[in-house]
Amino acid sequence: LKERIDEARSKQAKPETKLADSFRKTISLEFRDAPLRSVFDVIAKVSGLNFFFDKDMRPDLKASIFAKNTTIDDAVRLLMVTNQLEQKVLNENSILIYPNTPQKLKDYQPLSVRTFYLANADVKAVSNTIKTIVKTKDLVIDERLGLIILRDTPDAIRMAERIVAMQDLSDPEVMLEVEVVEMKRSRLLELGINWPNQLTLAPIQVDGVPLVLSDLRNLNRNNIKLGIGNVTINARKEDSDGSILANPRIRVRNREKAKILIGDRVPVITTTSNVTGFVSESINYVDVGLKLEVEPNIYLDEEVAIKINLEVSSLVREVISKSGSLSYQIGTRGASTTLRLKDGETQILAGLISDEDRSTSNKVPGVGELPLAGRLFGSTKDDTQRSEILLSITPRVVRSIRRPDLLTAEFESGTESNIGARPLVFAAPEPARWHRHRLG
């Protein structure tokens, strides 16, 4: 089918090619208030073209033209524009001239149907652009197939083709190389002696017989039990260092969000009871760990703006309500920012630090406060925990936005009344023989 269409178009293009050869001949014209048809008669004799006139063309039209060594094409176009006329090519050497009125344009101006299949652009956005710029009224879209069907003049369709080519571009994409490091360090030092902190006295029961108030009169050192705690010597030191590394690589389309979760989904159980005594349980999941959200915006100069939202969470402790529902206390650290980086540039985000210092003392009152001997009457526990999160991100542009060249980005669009028409600019004539005609 495509070969048949191309063949038909090539056959239709042959008359215009031969007609263009005749139009490129040079001619000199000098007419003052001459009948327009007389001017076309002279041009017909020189070029060998046949001019046919519509019946509604006014016979009293006159023209004044003084042109030297200009092409026949430029002379005919100037005569038609200045007298509100249009032309229609009939064959290799025949042209129909008719008035440029809405009704005559409907009668003679050919219309074509063109179908555009869009691969990347939004169908509605492209159709709105065509309606706004080309002023096409007969336009149908199919969002399911991603196609646009329009009916208009060949000049308007050619302009619509350039507009579609400008908009139907593939979305840029970027590969984000992310590296997240969480460094943890803990130091624990416990030194001293834990002395008993309480003394208990209790009557001794004989043969398991419960005591009564009268038995208290017989208490002495032989029937009272003494209870005292243990003495513990503490000499402990613990050091631990650790790091958690995540190195994901994400490929994202322009202005689309991507999410990364490295961690666990912790269940939270909720118990619900109604007035009838029916008890039901529901389970909800909470994401705990490393959560990273990125949204890139790729520019023409291969720079990438990235919106980053980083959150690191961990379980602190379990919380059980009076009704038996289980929940968790979650500690979080987060950062949100927007960066603009070049292709291949690396940015490091740091400063998400959690630093805890805890000191616990257990001393004997009085003597435990002595400068040196106090170590023999008490125990001290120092616990230091520190963690820091580093985020490194590097964008790699996989598919960038192509900057169109000037010839593609800017083109002639005709006039307000004739969309897509060729501009009224004279071409340089060929250095060949030319004919001179004068009348008036």
Side-chain angles (χ1 to χ4, degrees):
L1 180 60
K2 184 178 182 299
E3 294 177 355
R4 292 171 56 190
I5 294 176
D6 294 339
E7 184 180 356
R9 286 182 176 178
S10 62
K11 291 181 180 179
Q12 293 177 358
K14 289 181 180 179
E16 296 180 2
T17 303
K18 294 183 179 179
L19 191 60
D21 295 338
S22 301
F23 266 22
R24 280 195 294 267
K25 294 181 180 179
T26 57
I27 189 172
S28 292
L29 300 172
E30 295 183 9
F31 292 95
R32 184 186 302 275
D33 293 332
L36 185 60
R37 296 198 179 192
S38 300
V39 179
F40 277 109
D41 289 341
V42 173
I43 296 175
K45 292 178 181 179
V46 174
S47 62
L49 298 174
N50 300 322
F51 292 96
F52 298 91
F53 301 95
D54 185 85
K55 65 182 183 63
D56 293 332
M57 183 175 171
R58 291 168 47 194
D60 58 342
L61 288 177
K62 295 185 178 182
S64 296
I65 180 172
F66 301 91
K68 292 183 179 180
N69 196 24
T70 185
T71 62
I72 296 176
D73 184 17
D74 293 337
V76 171
R77 288 178 58 208
L78 182 61
L79 289 173
M80 288 190 298
V81 170
T82 55
N83 291 276
Q84 288 77 47
L85 300 175
E86 284 289 343
Q87 69 173 3
K88 179 179 176 63
V89 178
L90 302 178
N91 56 22
E92 291 86 348
N93 59 351
S94 301
I95 299 175
L96 172 64
I97 308 297
Y98 59 91
N100 186 2
T101 60
Q103 183 58 44
K104 292 300 179 180
L105 291 175
K106 291 181 180 179
D107 295 338
Y108 292 116
Q109 200 169 43
L111 299 177
S112 302
V113 176
R114 179 72 162 86
T115 303
F116 298 98
Y117 284 90
L118 304 182
N120 303 286
D122 181 64
V123 176
K124 290 184 177 179
V126 177
S127 64
N128 291 333
T129 304
I130 295 175
K131 289 180 181 179
T132 303
I133 298 179
V134 187
K135 311 297 182 185
T136 299
K137 296 181 180 179
D138 300 336
L139 187 144
V140 179
I141 65 174
D142 189 336
E143 296 187 48
R144 183 179 64 87
L145 298 178
L147 62 85
I148 299 176
I149 304 175
L150 62 89
R151 186 173 72 113
D152 212 324
T153 63
D155 292 336
I157 288 179
R158 281 194 296 270
M159 190 165 65
E161 289 175 350
R162 304 188 70 167
I163 292 174
V164 171
M166 286 288 296
Q167 286 191 275
D168 191 25
L169 300 177
S170 58
D171 292 335
E173 295 184 11
V174 62
M175 177 76 75
L176 298 178
E177 298 178 358
V178 183
E179 185 173 356
V180 182
V181 180
E182 183 178 9
M183 296 180 293
K184 294 183 178 181
R185 175 179 296 177
S186 63
R187 299 289 183 266
L188 178 63
L189 178 61
E190 188 176 5
L191 291 175
I193 301 175
N194 280 337
W195 293 94
N197 55 10
Q198 62 181 359
L199 177 67
T200 60
L201 299 174
I204 299 176
Q205 296 181 0
V206 180
D207 297 331
V209 178
L211 296 176
V212 293
L213 291 177
S214 59
D215 296 334
L216 298 179
R217 291 177 299 180
N218 300 323
L219 291 178
N220 53 45
R221 62 182 183 178
N222 295 322
N223 56 9
I224 295 177
K225 181 176 66 176
L226 176 66
I228 190 171
N230 298 325
V231 177
T232 305
I233 300 176
N234 296 321
R236 183 175 59 148
K237 183 179 180 181
E238 294 181 0
D239 295 337
S240 64
D241 296 320
S243 63
I244 300 175
L245 173 64
N247 188 15
R249 303 180 65 186
I250 323 165
R251 183 168 177 170
V252 195
R253 292 174 58 185
N254 190 30
R255 298 183 181 179
E256 296 287 343
K257 290 185 179 180
K259 297 182 180 180
I260 301 174
L261 173 62
I262 301 175
D264 301 318
R265 303 195 69 194
V266 179
V268 178
I269 303 174
T270 304
T271 304
T272 306
S273 61
N274 52 24
V275 294
T276 61
F278 178 76
V279 178
S280 62
E281 290 185 350
S282 61
I283 301 177
N284 298 320
Y285 290 90
V286 179
D287 296 329
V288 177
L290 171 67
K291 290 191 291 185
L292 178 65
E293 295 183 1
V294 291
E295 182 180 354
N297 189 0
I298 305 173
Y299 295 94
L300 286 173
D301 52 0
E302 292 193 351
E303 289 191 357
V304 183
I306 309 173
K307 292 182 180 180
I308 301 176
N309 184 14
L310 174 65
E311 179 181 336
V312 179
S313 57
S314 60
L315 291 178
V316 178
R317 63 187 181 90
E318 295 183 353
V319 179
I320 301 177
S321 63
K322 295 180 179 180
S323 61
S325 299
L326 177 63
S327 59
Y328 298 92
Q329 179 182 348
I330 299 175
T332 61
R333 283 171 289 168
S336 298
T337 185
T338 301
L339 306 174
R340 182 160 179 170
L341 305 175
K342 295 181 180 179
D343 182 22
E345 183 180 0
T346 301
Q347 178 66 46
I348 298 177
L349 301 179
L352 294 177
I353 301 174
S354 175
D355 198 349
E356 298 182 6
D357 291 328
R358 297 179 182 179
S359 180
T360 305
S361 298
N362 186 5
K363 301 177 181 180
V364 176
V367 294
E369 303 295 336
L370 297 177
L372 296 177
R375 287 286 184 177
L376 300 175
F377 297 96
S379 177
T380 304
K381 179 180 179 182
D382 296 326
D383 189 3
T384 302
Q385 293 185 359
R386 179 185 176 90
S387 65
E388 182 178 3
I389 297 175
L390 301 177
L391 171 65
S392 170
I393 185 167
T394 304
R396 307 283 185 185
V397 178
V398 179
R399 184 184 298 115
S400 62
I401 303 177
R402 294 174 298 176
R403 185 185 296 272
D405 55 14
L406 185 60
L407 295 178
T408 305
E410 182 179 355
F411 53 89
E412 299 289 344
S413 62
T415 62
E416 187 68 24
S417 59
N418 193 356
I419 302 295
R422 290 189 302 166
L424 189 61
V425 178
F426 286 176
E430 297 179 355
R433 63 184 184 279
W434 53 276
H435 302 269
R436 177 186 179 93
H437 292 272
R438 182 174 180 178
L439 182 63

